[in-house]
Structures are given as C-alpha cells and as structure tokens.
Amino acid sequence: MSVKIKNNIFLKFLPVVIGIVIFLKEIESVHTHSVETKYIQVPVDHFSPTEPAKTFNLRYLVYAKNHIKGGPVFVYTGGERDITVAARHTGFLFDIAPTFNAMIVFIEHRYYGRSLPFGNTSFASLENLRYCMSTQALSDFAYLLNDLKKNLSDTSHATGPFIAFGGYYAGTLSALLRLRYPDLIKGAITSSAPMFYLPGSTSCEDYYKIATRVFMKYGEERCVRTIKLAWEIIISISKTKKGMDFISSSLKLCKDLETPEDVEVLLDWLAETYVKLSMVNYPYSSDYYNPVPANPVLVFCNKLNTAHFNDTRQFIEMFAAALKIYTNYTGKAICTDIFYKQHNANELAWQYQTCTELIMPKCSTDYDMFITKNWNYEDMSLDCYRKYNIKPRPNWAFSTYGGQNLHYYSNVVFSSSMLDPASYNAVYLNKSDDKSKQPWISYRIEEAPHLMEFRTSDRTDNSYIIKARNFYVSTIKNWLNQK
Ligand SMILES: *[C@@H]1O[C@H](CO)[C@@H](O)[C@H](O)[C@H]1NC(C)=O
Ligand SMILES: *[C@@H]1O[C@H](CO)[C@@H](O)[C@H](O)[C@H]1NC(C)=O
Ligand SMILES: *[C@@H]1O[C@H](CO)[C@@H](O)[C@H](O)[C@H]1NC(C)=O
Ligand SMILES: *[C@@H]1O[C@H](CO)[C@@H](O)[C@H](O)[C@H]1NC(C)=O
Ligand SMILES: *[C@@H]1O[C@H](CO)[C@@H](O)[C@H](O)[C@H]1NC(C)=O
C-alpha cells in the first residue's frame, strides 16, 4: 500500500522533474535573452535516393519572444563554428526583433558544434567526413525551414517571410540560400562573405594586408616594425633545441616545440593570432575567439612599444608578456595550445572544407607585416593530400553553384568592412558602379572590426556601424513590403 502511494507521488512529480531537467538543458542564455535549443532529424545525405535515409540531429536555436503571427523569421545560417558562438555575437538580431515582431532562428552547420552526423566518430574517417559540404548544409537549412513553416502554419506563431543572415562563410551560405530557394528566403544580409574564394578570383594578398592596415592604424608603425623583428628573432632562436625550449617555456606552450615542423606551426599560429587580434579589435572587451580587452591591438602594441630589451631572450620574454592579452587575458589559461588545429573538431571540419570545396588563397607580400609566403594551387593541394589524404576540386564550386557573377543574387546585401581581414575575398563596393543596374546590393563599411554591425548596439559604436545597421533595417523593410 505504502509502496503504491510512493509510486503515485513519484509519478505525479516525474513530469515536473523532467520539465526542470529539460528547462535547464534546453535554454541557452544569449546576452540577456533565453533562447530555446532544439534538434531536428535531417538526412545525413540529402542527395541519395536510398530509403530509409540515415538521419542525425541538427541543432538549432529559437527565440520567439517578440514574434507574432505572420511576423518574419530572421534566420542565421550557421557557418564554421558552434552555433551558440554566432548567437552570442549577433545581438543585432535581438535588438531589431521587436521592431519587426520577428522570430529568430540560428541553425547550426553540420559537423560543427553539436550537429555531428556520426557523433564522436564524425571526424574519424574520410568516409564519415564526406557529407561535410556546403550543399548538404544548405539542404539542411531549407529542410528545417520548410518543416518549421509547416509545423507552425496553423498556430499563433505562423511564420511570415524568412530573411537570412550570415557573417563570413555563413554569409556566403545566406546568399546561396536566397539564390537557391528564392520562394523560401525573401532576402539575405551578409557581411564579409567570401564570395570570391576560388583561385584567381581575387588577389591572395588582401587578407594579411588588411590585418597590417589595422595594426598600422591602431598600433602605429613602431609596433609593425617590432612584429617584423619578432619573426626574425623567433626563426633564428628556434634553430637550436635550447632556443625552442626557451620559446616553449616563455609562451607556456602545452606541448614543447621539438621539430622544425613544430616551429612552422608556431609561426602560423602567430600569424593567425595577429589576424584575429585585428578582427576582434572592438572598443570593448569581448570573447569572439579568446577573451581579450577593449581595443586589443592598441593594448598589445602599447606593451610592445614601451618594452625595452637588450638581447633576444629579453625580447622573447617581453613579446610573450604582450601576447598574454590574447592567450591569457583572464589569467585562467593553464597553457597555450598552438596545436589546437590538430585536435579541435570544428577546426578539423573547416580544414576538410577548405581542402575540398572552399579554396581560399592567402599569401603575404612585402607590403604587410607577415613573413613572405607565396600561394599556389599545387602546393596547397599537396599539403591537403599530405595532411588529410584529400585533394581540392578546383572546379567543384563552379560546377555546383555556377560562376561568380553576382547578377542573379537579387535581394542580397553584401557588406564588407575595410578593416576586417575576413572581408578579403568579399564583395567590395566599387564606387563607380551603377547601383541601379544591379539586383544585389554591395555595402561598404569604412571602419569596423569583424562583423561588428551584427553585434548588439553599444555606446562606443562609430557612425559607420550605426549607418550600416540602419541600412539593413530599411532594406529589410523594403523587402518585406515587396509583393
Ligand atoms: C564515443 O561515444 C560513445 C558513446 O557516447 C562512447 O562510448 C565512446 O567511448 C566515445 N568514443 C570516443 C572515441 O570518444
Ligand atoms: C515538425 O513536426 C514534426 C512532427 O512533430 C517534428 O518531428 C519536427 O521536428 C518538427 N520540425 C520543426 C522544425 O519544428
Ligand atoms: C640593458 O642594458 C643596460 C646597460 O647594460 C641596462 O642599464 C638596462 O637596465 C638593460 N635593460 C634591460 C631591460 O634589462
Ligand atoms: C595565466 O596567468 C596566470 C595568472 O597570472 C598564470 O598563473 C598562468 O601560468 C598563466 N598561463 C599562461 C598560459 O600564460
Ligand atoms: C570599378 O569599375 C570600373 C568601371 O566599371 C572598372 O574600370 C574598375 O576596374 C572597377 N574596379 C574594381 C576594383 O573592380
């Protein structure tokens, strides 16, 4: 008897307990907004007619607090990172959702974050990696949006038009989504979208040139000179094992430098760190990559510019101290992991994509602060083959998406910032172009770090950023008024 009562009580509270667990599990806090985490089963391969299709759980986030029946849906088409990162750094959508009575949906790109088609073995073999491609991701997005529209059609959250948003690779996906599914997607706002990612379509040197421009502007020439000197010193010191050990301990590397290949990894990591610092050069502290202070380029350069040193060892020490604003700003880093590309799942997926479909030529020249590095297709192809046993298909993008003539991208905004290295193969505004003759819209932001206009508004925002956001809002309003 008493057992039965206990059972009854248990059963009565079970849904509550489950409810709490689900609540804790499925609500993601983004800024101050509670965003619901959801999953949908999508086919692993959208292009195989085999039945029954193998499926996996694709993650997406929904914020419907401001949405009313028939209101638009702002769709962030996830790119090469965990979708929660995009959600945390795209506050603009939350800022404007009330004005539009809009719902916001962030969709994760397959193979990133938690959307792994083969769970923890997704990266274990090329066989498992082969569905990691933009075409499959676009189909995931279309599949989910179609389903969402259907499911909500008779409810108080029936959806209005879909507007896609994306920065960098996610921006290319937004533009392609509009191009491929014009009846589903009313328009797309993209920022720093690498539309010209094929060899020969842009010059390879802009990436490092723009990063250098940011350092020249905010860190002064002296800083750029010290950075150039640093390459020489690190290269010469790391020729001996003793020198490698010294660098390893100064930078507190997680794994000591042991071979010339390790030194190459260090040099690549350093180049990437400078580029990232220039990208996140926001006027407030942020954590887009690592946590960094406000104006990180200035802070880093101030440390370099005021440092004094008499020998190379002192130089390395003060250099390592300056780098801490990126590697250890919180003071919580145990060690510096320069080898993360070899084991971080998101990085593996991205390297697979850049070695197969998204060929993004990057080179450094005498006109930037980086070590001179040529780019050619054969070397890149060999490198991919050596590392991952795959070779890029230079014609795949063309045979899949057609040429890089933007003429058919109607209702797409292509923004790029003159101070964002990631804009290097984006669409720049050519001031002499006749804008009335093009169905797409290019928009140039003079001064903004990476995707800054997509971030939540802040009192430090400059006028270019405010103007860009206003332009997006009025453009979306125009699209929504189109029949
Ligand atoms: C993968 O996940 C399964 C089940 O969650 C676990 O048993 C297994 O140890 C994991 N394998 C690896 C390589 O992490
Ligand atoms: C739509 O409803 C079906 C059936 O309940 C469900 O399996 C699917 O996940 C829903 N899709 C979305 C996007 O909500
Ligand atoms: C460099 O050497 C000079 C002269 O030997 C010395 O006065 C100075 O303190 C040294 N600077 C540093 C940073 O050690
Ligand atoms: C980070 O800073 C803390 C506190 O100063 C220090 O204990 C730790 O060793 C540092 N880690 C790295 C990688 O610099
Ligand atoms: C800009 O447009 C002019 C006129 O159409 C053209 O001659 C020039 O090459 C273009 N510049 C760039 C950078 O595309």
Side-chain angles (χ1 to χ4, degrees), residues 53 130 184 222 235 331 482:
R130 60 200 280 235
L184 182 69
R222 182 167 173 198
I235 290 169
Q482 283 171 0

Side-chain angles (χ1 to χ4, degrees), residues 43-57:
V44 170
D45 185 1
H46 288 276
F47 311 124
S48 160
T50 323
E51 287 293 340
K54 209 172 150 14
T55 61
F56 73 100
N57 281 331

Side-chain angles (χ1 to χ4, degrees), residues 46 92 136 160 189 289 303 321 338 371 399 409 444 467:
H46 288 276
F92 173 62
Q136 298 278 5
I189 305 271
Y289 296 113
K303 288 197 183 234
I338 62 167
I371 314 174
S399 60
Y409 287 88
R444 172 168 151 159
K467 257 175 67 188

Side-chain angles (χ1 to χ4, degrees), residues 208 211-212 215 223-239 247 263-275 300 304 312 315-316 318-319 323 364-365 368-373:
Y208 292 117
T212 305
F215 273 77
C223 183
V224 169
R225 277 205 310 271
T226 311
I227 286 170
K228 284 184 182 165
L229 179 65
W231 295 121
E232 286 173 35
I233 292 178
I234 291 169
I235 290 169
S236 79
I237 223 180
S238 60
K239 287 207 169 99
I247 294 175
V263 175
E264 283 298 313
V265 172
L266 172 71
L267 297 175
D268 284 348
W269 173 84
L270 204 49
E272 190 186 284
T273 299
Y274 297 139
V275 173
F300 175 74
L304 283 192
T312 50
F315 179 86
I316 294 289
M318 69 94 190
F319 185 71
L323 272 177
S364 43
T365 61
D368 61 50
M369 63 183 198
F370 296 81
I371 314 174
T372 306
K373 208 176 213 171

